[in-house]
Amino acid sequence: MTTPTDRITPDQLRTLFLFEALDAGQLAWLAEHGRVEQRAGGTVVYAEGEAATCFFVLLRGAVSLSRRVHGDELEISRTDQRGVYGGATQAYLDDQSEKLYRNTLRAVVDSEFFVLPAETFAEAVRSWFPMAMHLLEGLFIGMRDSQTIIGERERLLALGSLSAGLTHELNNPAAAAVRATSVLRDRVAGMRHKLAMIADGRLDGSRLHGLVELQEEAVARVATAPKLTPMAASDAEDVVTDWLDEHDVSGGWDLAPTLVGGGADVDWLERVTACVGPADLEAAVRWLTYTVETELLMREIGDAVTRISGLVGAAKQYSQLDRAPFQVVDVHDLLDATLVMFKAKMPAGVKLVKEYDRDLPPVPAYAAELNQVWTNLIDNALGAMGEKGTLTVRTGRDGDLLTVDVTDTGPGIPPEVRPRIFEPFFTTKPVGAGTGLGLDISYRIVVHKHHGDIRVESTPGSTTFRVLLPLTAEQPGAPA
């Protein structure tokens, strides 16, 4: 609700930084065509998407500025500085898309505004500053178009890079599963053939029953087989090979690795001999070896499928496509999902160190956007180190804030550059290699949307970006 009050005087207008350079005639014209309005604290001065009918200048009080991003309200700024302005700030443009409010302005406390109708403000700008108006129009439209194109390109490049990495990671277990399935098919066929040979009447029922029990035991041994060192495995295979050679089992060197991998030893082979006798020993051993190898192959397929499922789960965790935008999350899950997406992109010479404080509680956050922050910071760290270095991801606590540190061992950020690293379009990368939007986007997500902070400490050989997030807070991005 608006409450018109007395008109403002030209002398009062001159105290506002926006109008201090105008002449007496221009100030008088503004005073005549404008009005003073009041808004109660907590009310909307104007709302994003509505027709931009007025230009507002703050005379007294405090305001917050916010925008809707994918359905979420994102607070951009909050200030009590006298003279700040908003509303129909592009009324002088011919572009019809600029005839709507581009953000929402709220009065944080009882506030007072100098208000100009949009048409009046546009007339003043066009007639008083024609050259500046043309320059501003070109700058605004050019910047908007270039930012849209560059932003879309950066998102596509990031998506392509991470998708390629995910595809590479998925291909390895998928190929392993296909290979194991092919081998498994051959082993099952061989097992049927050997079973026919030992069950063609030469074994009585009790011996065949005992052999089946040994088969079940072989399956159980596979599940509990100890992990041997390469040296220990080689020694065990030599012992089994010698035993097989001594008992006239051909190709013992080929059978031994499978038997040892499944936990079989000489004592177990002696029990096989006792069960079937020397005449049928080779057929029985080969049948049991097929059993062990079949079980090992099924475990390999299971591991590969589990790996694929884990990668898909990490991708879903990273994208947050099936989750509410705002939720309480374990930041470690988000970091791990992002690191999985970077696994194929991480050079072989880069060592990853994770130092997590698992006692940290979950935090209220926009999870998908935090993953974008981790992506930007990790990508910058890898780019700084090149082919060799150490990437450290650390979590901790600083009072009532959760901290996430991303540290690289690259050359560091020069002191003269450091104050500008969060500026939009500023980049230290070669021309064409970076857009300069990553850290600006990260800063906006952490500071404006989550009411946290992002800091940097850098010396040659150690650069740390620290993200601080409130452990308990109101919904980020919501107006107070």
Side-chain angles (χ1 to χ4, degrees):
M1 176 180 179
T2 64
T3 305
T5 64
D6 296 337
R7 298 277 180 176
I8 196 168
T9 68
D11 288 339
Q12 289 173 322
L13 281 177
R14 192 182 296 278
T15 63
L16 301 171
F17 66 83
L18 191 62
F19 306 128
E20 62 186 2
L22 298 181
D23 60 36
Q26 292 168 329
L27 290 171
W29 189 89
L30 288 175
E32 179 183 352
H33 288 84
R35 63 184 184 273
V36 175
E37 295 183 1
Q38 295 178 345
R39 296 288 196 280
T43 61
V44 174
V45 180
Y46 61 79
E48 181 179 356
E50 295 179 351
T53 58
C54 295
F55 177 77
F56 294 84
V57 182
L58 180 66
L59 299 176
R60 175 182 56 82
V63 294
S64 69
L65 198 67
S66 62
R67 289 198 65 181
R68 286 195 303 272
V69 181
H70 300 296
D72 306 322
E73 195 77 9
L74 170 62
E75 184 175 301
I76 299 172
S77 64
R78 181 176 296 212
T79 181
D80 59 359
Q81 181 183 355
R82 188 172 183 270
V84 296
Y85 54 88
T89 54
Q90 285 90 42
Y92 55 84
L93 298 176
D94 292 330
D95 190 344
Q96 291 301 312
S97 67
E98 305 307 324
K99 304 303 181 183
L100 303 177
Y101 289 124
R102 297 173 61 82
N103 44 52
T104 297
L105 187 72
R106 286 179 173 82
V108 178
V109 299
D110 291 350
S111 303
E112 190 173 62
F113 300 87
F114 174 63
V115 184
L116 278 173
E119 297 82 359
T120 302
F121 172 67
E123 179 184 349
V125 173
R126 291 193 186 106
S127 60
W128 296 348
F129 315 106
M131 181 177 177
M133 193 276 290
H134 290 302
L135 290 173
L136 286 171
E137 187 174 28
L139 177 65
F140 176 80
I141 295 176
M143 181 68 75
R144 182 190 61 186
D145 293 345
S146 64
Q147 187 168 3
T148 299
I149 293 170
I150 292 173
E152 291 176 351
R153 178 63 175 171
E154 179 155 287
R155 286 192 292 271
L156 285 172
L157 288 173
L159 178 62
S161 177
L162 293 177
S163 297
L166 180 62
T167 302
H168 177 79
E169 290 296 307
L170 286 169
N171 182 65
N172 290 335
V178 171
R179 182 197 62 80
T181 301
S182 177
V183 176
L184 179 62
R185 185 177 294 109
D186 293 338
R187 296 302 178 265
V188 170
M191 188 163 55
R192 289 196 300 266
H193 177 68
K194 294 301 178 186
L195 180 60
M197 291 179 61
I198 58 181
D200 61 358
R202 290 181 293 178
L203 292 179
D204 58 30
S206 62
R207 287 188 174 187
L208 188 58
H209 183 72
L211 188 59
V212 172
E213 289 182 351
L214 286 170
Q215 182 191 39
E216 294 299 323
E217 183 180 334
V219 172
R221 280 175 175 264
V222 171
T224 60
K227 296 291 184 181
L228 300 177
T229 65
M231 184 67 71
S234 178
D235 292 343
E237 290 169 12
D238 288 342
V239 172
V240 171
T241 300
D242 291 343
W243 188 94
L244 293 173
D245 290 344
E246 292 171 0
H247 290 76
D248 298 326
V249 176
S250 60
W253 58 270
D254 190 34
L255 303 177
T258 300
L259 292 170
V260 171
D265 54 22
V266 169
D267 292 338
W268 183 77
L269 290 171
E270 292 287 358
R271 291 171 55 199
V272 175
T273 305
C275 177
V276 301
D280 295 309
L281 178 60
E282 180 166 346
V285 167
R286 290 191 177 278
W287 182 63
L288 292 171
T289 302
Y290 285 143
T291 298
V292 171
E293 189 170 11
T294 298
E295 190 65 23
L296 289 172
L297 289 168
M298 287 193 293
R299 289 186 65 186
E300 185 177 342
I301 294 171
D303 290 343
V305 173
T306 300
R307 175 65 177 154
I308 292 172
S309 178
L311 287 167
V312 172
K316 289 177 64 178
Q317 176 72 264
Y318 178 81
S319 66
Q320 296 287 311
L321 289 178
D322 59 345
R323 311 197 179 199
F326 178 75
Q327 55 185 301
V328 177
V329 297
D330 186 338
V331 73
H332 302 110
D333 292 340
L334 305 183
L335 289 168
D336 285 340
T338 305
L339 289 169
V340 167
M341 301 296 287
F342 270 97
K343 186 174 181 181
K345 189 177 180 180
M346 202 170 296
V350 172
K351 178 184 178 183
L352 173 63
V353 177
K354 295 193 290 186
E355 298 178 0
Y356 290 170
D357 181 358
R358 293 291 185 178
D359 293 330
L360 291 172
V363 295
Y366 289 93
E369 298 195 27
L370 282 185
N371 281 339
Q372 188 176 2
V373 174
W374 314 143
T375 297
N376 292 335
L377 297 183
I378 292 171
D379 187 54
N380 283 350
L382 293 176
M385 290 185 293
E387 297 299 316
K388 187 176 181 181
T390 300
L391 173 67
T392 302
V393 180
R394 181 184 299 107
T395 62
R397 185 168 186 161
D398 184 0
D400 59 351
L401 298 172
L402 180 146
T403 64
V404 177
D405 293 352
V406 177
T407 302
D408 67 73
T409 55
I413 304 172
E416 64 273 14
V417 169
R418 208 170 304 162
R420 300 191 59 195
I421 59 175
F422 293 108
E423 292 181 10
F425 300 105
F426 177 78
T427 178
T428 58
K429 296 177 181 178
V431 175
T435 63
L437 290 176
L439 289 179
D440 171 58
I441 292 170
S442 299
Y443 184 88
R444 292 175 181 273
I445 291 172
V446 172
V447 177
H448 297 316
K449 189 151 191 177
H450 289 86
H451 298 164
D453 197 7
I454 182 168
R455 305 169 185 170
V456 61
E457 295 179 1
S458 183
T459 58
S462 178
T463 297
T464 298
F465 280 87
R466 168 166 286 194
V467 174
L468 298 99
L469 299 170
L471 286 168
T472 56
E474 60 181 287
Q475 178 165 326

